[in-house]
């Protein structure tokens, strides 16, 4: 499917795949300024060239998803350059031209059966694009707890053959799968974790694996590997970790923090110190946000260390130092987090409430 005609000039690939791969490797090592600039130009062209296939695939995804569920959410994004380079570092044998998720579009539907219907609609459509690979993390969840279906396509178009064989990843998730993934990214951002890529603290990894397994039970789907098969044992561990990590209160404070960070008065700040302290006689957290300019990084680090020492032993208290390249990038990377973390918090409370009443 080709996008509607518009005045936009789509960027086409201007370099061979060999040149793209060479430039990708150059950005991972020290090199002369002229080589760096040339490599950046080549890599940015390669990334931008995925915009036309992505737009085309997203149009088709939106139409198919709406036929199954009128209120389905759809979105699209080009992978940011820092994320591309991080992936190349993680997978040292991967070339840039082999990265399959530079262009990605996503549909979120209410239930797993609707996810299955949308996947089937793609496979039965006879589309001109070629299904390169399918990753079904609903049938086989990842150990981290990630669930969803990824369809990797090679783009094909007769009138726009210059874009042929560029990869586009189509992600299809249920609402529970999506809000779980959003909560993981939120904790990664504020807690300086790397849960999304398999790192982070063991306690946080275990909590999210158990939360995903609980959601899988609700959806009558396969459980997350290495989580208890007996629901009573799984929920008992989930309750313990939620209390130990203070998950619900942290997420609520992070939602508030996004509003503080994105306030117009903070437009010149690039570093944010978030102090969360329980209010006297209340189970609510009091949030204070202080912004620093990039040149004040040392002062921000010193203040962070000082506050970290001052809250030791105070239950629920926390201090987080967040650095962003720009507020525009923050808005682009985390556009729906206020709503999505609220969904996760609501579902988590539903899971925990009956267990805590029994206790």
């Amino acid at each position: 499917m080709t996008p509607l005609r518009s005045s936009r000039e789509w960027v086409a690939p201007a370099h061979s795949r060999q040149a793209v791969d060479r430039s990708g490797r150059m950005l991972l090592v020290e090199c002369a300024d002229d080589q760096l600039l040339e490599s950046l130009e080549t890599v940015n062209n390669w990334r931008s060239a995925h915009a036309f296939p992505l737009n085309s695939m997203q149009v088709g995804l939106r139409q198919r998803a709406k036929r199954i569920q009128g209120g389905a959410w759809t979105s699209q994004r080009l992978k940011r350059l820092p994320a591309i380079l991080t992936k190349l570092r993680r997978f040292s044998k991967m070339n840039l031209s082999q990265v399959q998720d530079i262009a990605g579009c996503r549909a979120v539907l209410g239930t797993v059966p609707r996810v299955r219907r949308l996947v089937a609609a793609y496979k039965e459509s006879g589309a001109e694009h070629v299904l390169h690979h399918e990753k079904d993390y609903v049938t086989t969840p990842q150990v981290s707890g990630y669930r969803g279906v990824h369809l990797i396509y090679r783009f094909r178009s007769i009138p726009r053959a210059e874009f042929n064989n560029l990869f586009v990843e189509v992600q299809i998730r249920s609402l529970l799968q999506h809000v779980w993934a959003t909560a993981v990214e939120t904790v990664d951002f504020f807690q300086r974790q790397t849960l999304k890529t398999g790192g982070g603290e063991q306690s946080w990894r275990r909590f999210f694996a158990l939360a995903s397994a609980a959601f899988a039970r609700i959806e009558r789907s396969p459980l997350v590997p290495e989580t208890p098969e007996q629901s009573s044992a799984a929920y008992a561990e989930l309750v313990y970790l939620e209390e130990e990590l203070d998950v619900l209160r942290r997420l609520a404070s992070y939602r508030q923090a996004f509003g503080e960070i994105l306030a117009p008065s903070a437009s010149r700040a690039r570093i944010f110190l978030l102090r969360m302290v329980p209010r006297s006689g209340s189970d609510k957290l009091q949030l204070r946000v202080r912004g620093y300019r990039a040149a004040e990084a040392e002062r921000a680090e010193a203040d962070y260390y000082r506050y970290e020492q001052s809250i030791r032993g105070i239950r629920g208290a926390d201090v987080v130092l967040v650095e962003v390249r720009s507020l525009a990038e923050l808005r682009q990377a985390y556009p729906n987090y206020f709503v999505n973390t609220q969904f996760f918090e609501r579902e988590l409370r539903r899971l925990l409430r009956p267990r805590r009443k029994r206790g």
Side-chain angles (χ1 to χ4, degrees):
M1 182 174 295
T2 301
L4 296 176
R5 186 185 301 271
S6 76
S7 60
R8 177 174 179 178
E9 289 293 329
W10 298 101
V11 175
H15 308 276
S16 68
R17 288 177 180 262
Q18 291 81 3
V20 168
D21 292 338
R22 183 167 57 251
S23 295
R25 289 191 294 270
M26 290 296 292
L27 293 184
L28 300 179
V29 299
E30 294 288 337
C31 61
D33 289 346
D34 58 338
Q35 291 177 311
L36 176 62
L37 290 174
E38 182 180 352
S39 296
L40 276 172
E41 186 277 329
T42 300
V43 171
N44 282 327
N45 168 263
W46 180 253
R47 176 182 177 273
S48 298
H50 286 73
F52 179 84
L54 174 58
N55 187 67
S56 178
M57 295 287 289
Q58 195 268 346
V59 170
L61 174 64
R62 183 173 64 249
Q63 291 176 349
R64 291 188 178 96
K66 296 294 184 183
R67 284 196 290 266
I68 293 171
Q69 178 182 317
W73 300 347
T74 58
S75 61
Q76 66 181 57
R77 65 98 183 97
L78 285 177
K79 203 175 190 72
R80 291 171 296 149
L81 181 58
I84 294 173
L85 297 180
T86 296
K87 188 158 196 173
L88 291 177
R89 291 188 185 97
R90 285 179 60 211
F91 302 99
S92 58
K93 296 183 179 180
M94 178 183 291
N95 288 319
L96 179 55
S97 64
Q98 296 173 309
V99 177
Q100 299 175 357
D101 62 346
I102 291 178
C105 51
R106 175 185 299 145
V108 179
L109 301 103
T111 65
V112 169
R114 289 175 177 172
V115 168
R116 295 298 186 197
R117 284 175 59 192
L118 183 52
V119 171
Y122 262 93
K123 293 182 177 180
E124 298 165 2
S125 66
E128 57 189 333
H129 311 301
V130 178
L131 180 60
H132 175 74
H133 188 56
E134 176 183 357
K135 300 176 182 177
D136 186 347
Y137 298 123
V138 178
T139 301
T140 309
Q142 292 185 328
V143 174
S144 65
Y146 179 82
R147 297 184 304 130
V149 178
H150 294 191
L151 303 175
I152 313 297
Y153 279 92
R154 287 187 181 273
F155 182 80
R156 290 287 174 85
S157 170
I158 294 175
R160 303 306 299 265
E162 65 269 32
F163 298 104
N164 283 354
N165 291 316
L166 293 181
F167 288 118
V168 178
E169 181 182 72
V170 178
Q171 292 184 4
I172 306 174
R173 298 172 177 169
S174 71
L175 180 58
L176 283 179
Q177 293 159 8
H178 181 65
V179 299
W180 177 93
T182 299
V184 168
E185 293 191 36
T186 303
V187 170
D188 269 356
F189 180 79
F190 281 105
Q191 290 291 129
R192 293 185 171 184
Q193 301 286 322
T194 54
L195 302 168
K196 185 178 178 179
T197 55
E201 296 173 14
Q202 170 61 26
S203 55
W204 279 108
R205 292 203 307 269
R206 185 62 175 171
F207 166 79
F208 278 112
L210 290 164
S212 181
F215 289 170
R217 282 189 172 88
I218 293 172
E219 295 182 316
R220 299 182 179 180
S221 297
L223 297 182
V224 175
E226 301 178 16
T227 58
E229 293 186 8
Q230 291 188 337
S231 61
S232 57
Y235 281 121
E237 190 177 357
L238 182 65
V239 168
Y240 169 78
L241 284 172
E242 191 285 321
E243 293 177 348
E244 183 73 15
L245 296 169
D246 211 11
V247 177
L248 286 169
R249 287 207 299 175
R250 285 180 189 269
L251 288 177
S253 67
Y254 297 160
R255 280 191 290 105
Q256 182 184 351
F258 268 115
E260 297 275 356
I261 290 174
L262 295 178
S265 60
S267 61
R268 301 184 67 181
R270 293 294 177 267
I271 304 170
F272 297 89
L273 185 70
L274 315 179
R275 296 163 54 203
M276 289 162 277
V277 182
R279 291 176 178 170
S280 178
S282 171
D283 63 351
K284 294 183 179 180
L285 288 172
Q286 183 178 26
L287 174 72
R288 294 179 180 176
V289 179
R290 180 173 181 178
Y292 304 81
R293 298 180 184 181
E296 300 176 300
E298 289 188 11
R299 182 179 178 183
E301 289 282 355
D303 287 348
Y304 170 76
Y305 179 77
R306 178 163 56 88
Y307 285 123
E308 188 179 44
Q309 301 302 311
S310 70
I311 63 173
R312 288 187 181 278
I314 302 177
R315 177 167 175 75
D318 198 8
V319 58
V320 180
L321 193 65
V322 175
E323 184 171 353
V324 296
R325 293 163 60 92
S326 70
L327 289 182
E329 183 175 285
L330 182 65
R331 287 188 180 95
Q332 181 181 13
Y334 301 91
N336 300 314
Y337 276 23
F338 296 108
V339 176
N340 290 344
T341 56
Q342 280 183 304
F343 275 126
F344 180 82
E345 293 165 49
R346 182 192 66 192
E347 295 302 324
L348 185 59
R349 285 193 179 92
R350 287 180 179 176
L351 287 171
L352 300 177
R353 189 179 300 121
R355 301 288 163 174
R356 283 177 172 160
K357 284 182 177 179
R358 291 178 193 175

